[in-house]
Amino acid sequence: MPSYVIPAKCTGCGDCVNICPSHIMRFTKSGLFGRKAYNAEPEMCWECYNCVKHCPQGAVQIRGYQDFTPMGGAVEVYRDEKTNRVYWTIRYRNGTIKYFVFPIRTTPWGSIKPPTEYPEPPKELLRTPYLSCEHEQLGGNKLGVELPRYKVPEVVKVEVRG
Amino acid sequence: MVRVRYVDADILIIGGGMAGSGAAWEARYWCRNCRVVIAEKANINRSGAVAMGLSAINTYMGLKCKENTVEDYVKYVRGDLMGIVREDLVYDYARHVDSTVHLFDEWGLPIWPNPQTGCYVREGKWQIMIHGESYKAIVAEAARKAVGEENVFNRVMVTHLLKSPSNPNRVVGAIGFNVNDGTVYVFRAKATIVSAGGGSHVYRPRSQGEGLGRAWYPPWSSASSYGLMIEAGAVMTMMEARFVVPRFKDGYGPVGAYQLLLKTKITNAYGQDFWKPHYEEIKKLYSGKGNYPDLPITPTTLRVYAQRLEWMAGRGPSLMRTEETVKKGTESEAIAYEDFLDMTISQVVIWAGQNHEPAERPYEVITTEPYVMGSHATECGAWASGPDDLAPKKIEGLPDDRGYQYYWGYNRMTTLDGLFCAGDGCGANPHKFSSGSFTEGRLAAKSAVLFIMDHSDEKIEVDKAQVDSIITKLMEPLERYERGKYTVVTGPSYMHPIDPTKMYWKQGLFRLQKIMDEYAGGWSTMYVTNEWMLNRALELLQFLKEDFINYAAAQDWHELMRVWELWHRILTAEAVVRHMLFRKETRWPGYYVRADYPALDDENWHVFVNSRYDAKTGKWELWKVPVIHIIPFP
């Protein structure tokens, strides 16, 4: 249906609403059971699974686009930021099941060193072609080689046809 | 009553995708006391083309392991685009791209290591394999840390660029609104970087129902990079080179890992080679000076074209022979499935529904609808200044107008002062993909820092009347909806109410897609067009533009976002059609064929096509700019 919410499992936390890149997960009006998320515009859903991955309750699932997907299959996902793994379960219409596990990150979340923690670059290097981390004076050289250069004539003469 | 917030920034980044994140990182690195602000339509943790994830990094030189040279890369990219690229721009991002990838590695992106070489596992000559489910989330963390959480404006869609009242050639910021609560943001900035992505849904997608959103490029790529810059009067380039990709049918699953890593063949429906039967004809029509059909890596556009000729001969569809390379329960099966699960999960959902086992049967490959992009195997976008040491400083024999030259002082600056471009927004330098887009963001940001240092005494002025008139225009669709809300009653629909005084976003979008598909080389005509059809497209687009201005309506903030996405798409579509009309040849037959000029014409068209739009008069001018080959060309 792209993605759809199982209301009984939804606590209305809004994680799917916050993450959806297409801005199509929305809340119902609050009622007796509080607010619930739902997919308000399935035809603009990319099936990117971010709502599914980010739902702490497992309340969001995907039913493949009716235009071309026979019913009865399913792809389920569990993404774990503690073990940095993503676990996929693929259920075929005929009952075949496939499991896959892939790593998602090699470092803890939140561990990236911001650019401001590198020594401040000398201003004169602004007029050179080096970017951050490409020179001894710019936080080391992560290129692994001296930056490639190419000689280009300053002035070129051309004629335009047509 | 509109709530307006003014935000003052040194550098404004529009769009926090791959390129925008790269810009954020580099801007902060070079300018420690700058305020760098990101305006992001969605949530930066999962936005842009890499929102779902990615299974490979398509651009990595491997310089430290001596795997490739930058020159060879430029030759490859140039060949793939049939000879026409800004070699200075391509060389520039290529020489830097490895440091970007090494940063990603350090930040925690799982790149498949190659213990033998100490480098990475090669998918192909230029590609490396990753476990990229969290690619965007990792890169976004770096961007957020660089600018500070308080400077990331999530759910703010930028709709218009702001010009200086005293200098129409100077961009001083942008206006947008929060799509959740309608707050209008007026960003005043010394430098602005447009990295707002390419365009899907400009053409009619192949699926029209629930599957409308399953475009290959995400539906939120609303051509905003182009729409913003076109309307501001920046010179655009190569908008005719909108392109199509061969992908697994319906889900648009990627073919890279299958073809390159697993070495899977694509054949016609009868198991025959699709290239050989058409080689002679393609050579006759599309060889040109570059001898393109004989290049070591056959250009994407020619491979796509040969497959299409097979279909038209009734020997289609193309089939990916997965049964020859995928074995159940082995590494190859995990690779095959991960390729989809990282970036196009839909394809697995389809296979699950169809009980499809890639180890047992081949699967169809088709070409998508056309997309307008600057980062993949094509080069739509703004015309930008090249870098100091690679761009020819002056081209004699051409006007001094920036729209004809390659260099005006600031790398990746558009023809407008203070406006920079990156990623899909920056034209004539294709094949950036994710890593190159991030790299180009870095290049643009460093150059933007230099620009604001050189212009530190310049005062940023914003004209209140101009701001107010843009805000009025921005909000108009909402007010239009309120007017006469109850006069028309129609039943609830997957479309919107029928109302003689209103055009809702989806109604306008379907109109746009039908025009583009049927007249400007969409899939329903097998990507064929001609002068008459393109002129007709312009005529119909003109009606659509007028209807947008007079009838566009939105029921809420979300629909207002959809409405402005539509406007960016309409402007982009017009640029595409005008460019296609101007270029009287067929340069990329796989992307589209001008039936009235069905061959490549190097004599007259080995050139860039550039354009400028005047928003006041609605007039376009287009012209040719020669391709300067800084790396020897055959």
Side-chain angles (χ1 to χ4, degrees), chain B residues 348-362:
Chain B
V348 182
V349 178
I350 293 170
W351 282 6
Q354 296 179 347
N355 295 329
H356 179 83
E357 288 285 356
E360 294 168 6
R361 301 170 54 193

Side-chain angles (χ1 to χ4, degrees), chain A residues 158 160, chain B residues 394-401 404-406 624-626:
Chain A
V158 294
V160 191
Chain B
K394 170 133 183 68
I395 302 169
E396 283 187 355
L398 292 180
D400 281 337
D401 179 328
Y404 289 85
Q405 296 289 329
Y406 281 33
K624 294 177 177 186
V625 178

Side-chain angles (χ1 to χ4, degrees), chain A residues 23 43 92 110 127-128 142, chain B residues 102 145 337 446 454 506:
Chain A
H23 197 245
E43 67 276 21
Y92 273 55
R127 295 195 191 273
T128 64
K142 287 194 184 19
Chain B
H102 298 154
K145 285 199 159 176
Y337 277 82
K446 185 188 175 194
D454 287 351
K506 201 184 293 174

Side-chain angles (χ1 to χ4, degrees), chain A residues 20 23 43 46-47 53 63 92 98 105-107 110 112 118 127-128 130 132 134 142 154 156, chain B residues 26 96 99 102 106-107 133 141 145 155 180 210 215 333 337 346 356 396 442 446 454 506:
Chain A
C20 174
H23 197 245
E43 67 276 21
W46 205 40
E47 285 188 359
K53 289 170 183 172
R63 195 268 283 128
Y92 273 55
K98 295 179 195 277
R105 187 165 180 173
T106 60
T107 55
I112 293 174
Y118 289 83
R127 295 195 191 273
T128 64
Y130 299 103
S132 58
E134 291 184 345
K142 287 194 184 19
E154 291 256 326
V156 181
Chain B
E26 203 70 19
H96 292 286
S99 72
H102 298 154
E106 191 177 297
W107 293 341
E133 187 279 335
E141 183 187 308
K145 285 199 159 176
R155 302 291 173 193
N180 285 335
E210 228 178 51
E333 191 184 38
Y337 277 82
S346 295
H356 179 83
E396 283 187 355
R442 293 171 71 196
K446 185 188 175 194
D454 287 351
K506 201 184 293 174

Side-chain angles (χ1 to χ4, degrees), chain B residues 381-402:
Chain B
W383 181 251
S385 171
D388 257 342
D389 64 331
L390 295 171
K393 295 272 193 307
K394 170 133 183 68
I395 302 169
E396 283 187 355
L398 292 180
D400 281 337
D401 179 328
R402 287 175 180 178

Side-chain angles (χ1 to χ4, degrees), chain B residues 461-493:
Chain B
E461 16 160 24
V462 168
D463 178 47
K464 180 109 177 51
Q466 185 200 7
V467 169
D468 289 345
S469 82
I470 291 177
I471 294 175
T472 305
K473 193 160 60 169
L474 172 56
M475 291 297 157
E476 199 176 23
L478 275 174
E479 286 160 24
R480 196 172 279 128
Y481 171 71
E482 293 301 328
R483 289 203 294 267
K485 201 160 88 173
Y486 305 105
T487 57
V488 176
V489 181
T490 48
S493 146

